[in-house]
Amino acid sequence: GDSVTQMEGPVTLSEEAFLTINCTYTATGYPSLFWYVQYPGEGLQLLLKATKADDKGSNKGFEATYRKETTSFHLEKGSVQVSDSAVYFCALSGSGGSYIPTFGRGTSLIVHP
Amino acid sequence: DGGITQSPKYLFRKEGQNVTLSCEQNLNHDAMYWYRQDPGQGLRLIYYSQIVNDFQKGDIAEGYSVSREKKESFPLTVTSAQKNPTAFYLCASSIDKNQPQHFGDGTRLSIL
């Protein structure tokens, strides 16, 4: 079946540091790929998406590129802020025609001033 | 603004009691989902519905029930058969399988 693997957290950074959160996947067909962010006590919010190979999703300084050859969708940001502290989830959907998305376990990011 | 509304935000259950969590969306989405999230854990799918009057079990459906009588509504009942119901419950919807999900703000269920 489909799966999404994210790097384990927590990831702890100082403000203005460079962020990478790794995400790799296995899936049938050509799924869409997503990054979601969850702040404490809230639901998940879509951060960015990519629907086909080599697409780059971007939002609020975050970027991720859909790499079919390496089955990866790593999240990056050039300079993190304290307000970026949250849990980040990588996910895929549409694989093999399924309506059921597959989520990674989430990576907690803690940014210190 | 369109979105998903979950209520209540906090809910307490007594022993042997069934409780119902509400989920309403005005996004005109066909598909709706219920997830359970335990502290420090990812999301686990309880039930999902692709269309009105149809729903399917997810990975952890035991002790839960749902209905989908209207497109806008997908309530989740946590029955007394669910022995460990304390968790954060999230409802989501999507317009189709290749599009992202929209999530509500969740309901936190605890045992009295």
Side-chain angles (χ1 to χ4, degrees):
Chain A
D2 297 346
S3 67
V4 173
T5 303
Q6 292 181 234
M7 60 190 290
E8 296 224 2
V11 173
T12 304
L13 296 173
S14 297
E15 205 165 25
E16 299 183 4
F18 184 85
L19 169 71
T20 300
I21 300 178
N22 290 337
C23 171
T24 57
Y25 68 91
T26 58
T28 54
Y30 303 94
S32 296
L33 301 176
F34 309 96
W35 277 101
Y36 292 88
V37 58
Q38 184 179 32
Y39 299 100
E42 297 183 8
L44 279 68
Q45 303 172 29
L46 177 69
L47 182 59
L48 53 83
K49 69 176 184 180
T51 56
K52 61 183 187 297
D54 299 326
D55 267 2
K56 178 186 280 189
S58 61
N59 186 25
K60 300 179 182 179
F62 291 90
E63 294 183 339
T65 301
Y66 189 161
R67 301 284 190 202
K68 190 161 178 62
E69 64 277 11
T70 55
T71 61
S72 65
F73 193 53
H74 305 321
L75 183 68
E76 296 182 335
K77 186 176 186 184
S79 176
V80 294
Q81 306 300 312
V82 172
S83 57
D84 293 328
S85 299
V87 180
Y88 292 82
F89 290 90
C90 185
L92 66 84
S93 70
S95 172
S98 172
Y99 266 82
I100 305 175
T102 301
F103 286 85
R105 292 174 61 87
T107 301
S108 174
L109 171 65
I110 301 169
V111 181
H112 293 294
Chain B
D1 280 341
I4 295 187
T5 302
Q6 288 188 242
S7 62
K9 191 167 179 65
Y10 300 96
L11 187 58
F12 298 90
R13 196 191 87 170
K14 295 180 182 178
E15 286 288 334
Q17 186 182 44
N18 294 351
V19 292
T20 297
L21 285 60
S22 171
C23 177
E24 302 279 331
Q25 54 101 355
N26 61 2
L27 298 166
N28 200 33
H29 287 174
D30 284 317
M32 297 186 75
Y33 308 78
W34 274 106
Y35 294 94
R36 170 179 172 142
Q37 187 177 31
D38 292 283
Q41 302 296 312
L43 303 178
R44 290 188 289 170
L45 182 65
I46 305 173
Y47 270 97
Y48 69 102
S49 168
Q50 291 179 221
I51 200 165
V52 174
N53 292 322
D54 184 58
F55 49 83
Q56 306 295 328
K57 292 182 179 180
D59 299 320
I60 55 164
E62 186 174 349
Y64 300 97
S65 66
V66 293
S67 63
R68 186 86 188 275
E69 298 176 2
K70 299 186 300 182
K71 189 174 187 177
E72 302 79 19
S73 178
F74 192 41
L76 173 74
T77 297
V78 183
T79 75
S80 57
Q82 172 50 247
K83 298 306 180 188
N84 184 24
T86 297
F88 190 51
Y89 291 86
L90 287 165
C91 181
S93 71
S94 67
I95 196 163
D96 75 37
K97 57 185 178 293
N98 291 310
Q99 295 303 317
Q101 293 187 312
H102 293 247
F103 284 82
D105 284 337
T107 292
R108 189 167 299 281
L109 176 62
S110 303
I111 296 296
L112 277 178

